[in-house]
Amino acid sequence: MKIIKFKYLLNKFDCFLFDQWGVIHDGKKKFTFVDKTLQKLQSKCCIIVSNTSQNQAEAKTDTLKKLNINHLYFKKIITSGEYLEYIANSNEKKLLKIKKFLKLKNCYLISNGNKNKVFKNIGLKSVNIKSAKFIMAMSVKPFENFNKYKKILNQLLKKKLIMICSNPDKFVFDGKVRKFVLQVGTLAEYYKKIGGKVIYIGKPYKEIFSYALKDLKFDKKKILMIGDNTQTDIAGAKKFGI
């Protein structure tokens, strides 16, 4: 591993993309170096690119504010939830395939039970398996029994429903319990493994990087992704060419 000095990063890059959970906080508290680091980056363009199913407003109030992280450090806060809302209201041809499912409204919702503004803003309706037109996988309760989800997913597969997964993360380290906990990306991975079709919204897919950097004219060589997950943050950055 090569040790890089912070000054080197300041001189080399103009745009810094930050993952959220695991990089600036652990779900319980912000990391001690965050303010000092972001203050030194005030002359640069800093953007959060997160796989959370929250939209930007929720990320600000329900996460950053609660953890005493100043959202003004960031030019943009781009989340999978925010991008999903954009897709629902977009007329871009490449997004119409996903929008087609969202317009069906009736979905089987996989969620941790918290109220989600994205779900409401898009106008989706949570229904039972029999009435569902697609699966909307947004979040999970961290300590929910995975075998319980497997049984549900096996039932959903019989209906040949497409799953839209708005958080591709499989696990995160939870500072509240000091261990890795299940994320909805693990369910999506299982659904795909048993033959289901999954549409992912978020990292490591190029589209969310393009959306995050929309209207910003940075040379890709001048953009740095800072993440804690090789499968999403780092793989996504490599795919996007930064």
Side-chain angles (χ1 to χ4, degrees), residues 35 38 54 69 106 108 194 234:
D35 289 312
L38 291 171
Q54 295 176 325
I69 299 167
N106 287 2
Y108 185 86
I194 61 174
I234 309 309

PDB file of all heavy atoms in Angstrom, residues 35 38 54 69 106 108 194 234:
ATOM      1  N   ASP A  35     -14.464  17.223   9.936  1.00  0.00           N
ATOM      2  CA  ASP A  35     -14.523  18.683   9.823  1.00  0.00           C
ATOM      3  C   ASP A  35     -13.190  19.271   9.362  1.00  0.00           C
ATOM      4  O   ASP A  35     -13.150  20.124   8.475  1.00  0.00           O
ATOM      5  CB  ASP A  35     -14.940  19.306  11.158  1.00  0.00           C
ATOM      6  CG  ASP A  35     -16.400  19.030  11.481  1.00  0.00           C
ATOM      7  OD1 ASP A  35     -17.246  19.239  10.588  1.00  0.00           O
ATOM      8  OD2 ASP A  35     -16.703  18.598  12.598  1.00  0.00           O
ATOM      9  N   LEU A  38     -12.699  18.432   5.609  1.00  0.00           N
ATOM     10  CA  LEU A  38     -13.584  19.167   4.701  1.00  0.00           C
ATOM     11  C   LEU A  38     -13.291  20.667   4.693  1.00  0.00           C
ATOM     12  O   LEU A  38     -13.466  21.324   3.667  1.00  0.00           O
ATOM     13  CB  LEU A  38     -15.046  18.902   5.072  1.00  0.00           C
ATOM     14  CG  LEU A  38     -15.531  17.466   4.806  1.00  0.00           C
ATOM     15  CD1 LEU A  38     -16.908  17.236   5.389  1.00  0.00           C
ATOM     16  CD2 LEU A  38     -15.526  17.144   3.314  1.00  0.00           C
ATOM     17  N   GLN A  54     -32.657   7.126   0.877  1.00  0.00           N
ATOM     18  CA  GLN A  54     -33.159   8.454   1.220  1.00  0.00           C
ATOM     19  C   GLN A  54     -32.937   9.397   0.038  1.00  0.00           C
ATOM     20  O   GLN A  54     -32.032   9.185  -0.768  1.00  0.00           O
ATOM     21  CB  GLN A  54     -32.388   9.029   2.417  1.00  0.00           C
ATOM     22  CG  GLN A  54     -32.557   8.290   3.722  1.00  0.00           C
ATOM     23  CD  GLN A  54     -31.669   8.890   4.814  1.00  0.00           C
ATOM     24  OE1 GLN A  54     -30.561   9.348   4.554  1.00  0.00           O
ATOM     25  NE2 GLN A  54     -32.170   8.890   6.036  1.00  0.00           N
ATOM     26  N   ILE A  69     -23.054  16.935  11.017  1.00  0.00           N
ATOM     27  CA  ILE A  69     -22.209  17.106   9.828  1.00  0.00           C
ATOM     28  C   ILE A  69     -22.820  18.225   8.984  1.00  0.00           C
ATOM     29  O   ILE A  69     -23.988  18.143   8.591  1.00  0.00           O
ATOM     30  CB  ILE A  69     -22.125  15.805   9.001  1.00  0.00           C
ATOM     31  CG1 ILE A  69     -21.498  14.684   9.840  1.00  0.00           C
ATOM     32  CG2 ILE A  69     -21.318  16.023   7.721  1.00  0.00           C
ATOM     33  CD1 ILE A  69     -21.660  13.297   9.243  1.00  0.00           C
ATOM     34  N   ASN A 106     -48.170  -0.180  -8.180  1.00  0.00           N
ATOM     35  CA  ASN A 106     -48.340  -1.261  -7.201  1.00  0.00           C
ATOM     36  C   ASN A 106     -47.079  -2.123  -7.101  1.00  0.00           C
ATOM     37  O   ASN A 106     -46.679  -2.762  -8.076  1.00  0.00           O
ATOM     38  CB  ASN A 106     -49.525  -2.160  -7.579  1.00  0.00           C
ATOM     39  CG  ASN A 106     -50.847  -1.479  -7.338  1.00  0.00           C
ATOM     40  OD1 ASN A 106     -50.904  -0.328  -6.924  1.00  0.00           O
ATOM     41  ND2 ASN A 106     -51.936  -2.187  -7.598  1.00  0.00           N
ATOM     42  N   TYR A 108     -44.369  -4.668  -4.408  1.00  0.00           N
ATOM     43  CA  TYR A 108     -44.087  -5.323  -3.135  1.00  0.00           C
ATOM     44  C   TYR A 108     -42.887  -4.597  -2.542  1.00  0.00           C
ATOM     45  O   TYR A 108     -41.800  -4.622  -3.112  1.00  0.00           O
ATOM     46  CB  TYR A 108     -43.789  -6.812  -3.307  1.00  0.00           C
ATOM     47  CG  TYR A 108     -43.612  -7.509  -1.976  1.00  0.00           C
ATOM     48  CD1 TYR A 108     -44.714  -7.997  -1.272  1.00  0.00           C
ATOM     49  CD2 TYR A 108     -42.354  -7.623  -1.397  1.00  0.00           C
ATOM     50  CE1 TYR A 108     -44.566  -8.595  -0.033  1.00  0.00           C
ATOM     51  CE2 TYR A 108     -42.200  -8.219  -0.149  1.00  0.00           C
ATOM     52  CZ  TYR A 108     -43.302  -8.695   0.527  1.00  0.00           C
ATOM     53  OH  TYR A 108     -43.154  -9.273   1.757  1.00  0.00           O
ATOM     54  N   ILE A 194     -31.183 -16.814  -7.749  1.00  0.00           N
ATOM     55  CA  ILE A 194     -32.224 -17.834  -7.943  1.00  0.00           C
ATOM     56  C   ILE A 194     -32.992 -17.646  -9.252  1.00  0.00           C
ATOM     57  O   ILE A 194     -33.962 -18.350  -9.530  1.00  0.00           O
ATOM     58  CB  ILE A 194     -33.207 -17.877  -6.751  1.00  0.00           C
ATOM     59  CG1 ILE A 194     -33.932 -16.543  -6.570  1.00  0.00           C
ATOM     60  CG2 ILE A 194     -32.484 -18.297  -5.476  1.00  0.00           C
ATOM     61  CD1 ILE A 194     -35.031 -16.560  -5.494  1.00  0.00           C
ATOM     62  N   ILE A 234     -15.309   1.825  -5.122  1.00  0.00           N
ATOM     63  CA  ILE A 234     -14.076   1.726  -5.903  1.00  0.00           C
ATOM     64  C   ILE A 234     -14.335   1.111  -7.279  1.00  0.00           C
ATOM     65  O   ILE A 234     -13.847   1.605  -8.299  1.00  0.00           O
ATOM     66  CB  ILE A 234     -13.007   0.920  -5.135  1.00  0.00           C
ATOM     67  CG1 ILE A 234     -12.842   1.485  -3.707  1.00  0.00           C
ATOM     68  CG2 ILE A 234     -11.687   0.930  -5.879  1.00  0.00           C
ATOM     69  CD1 ILE A 234     -12.617   2.986  -3.619  1.00  0.00           C
TER      70      ILE A 234
END
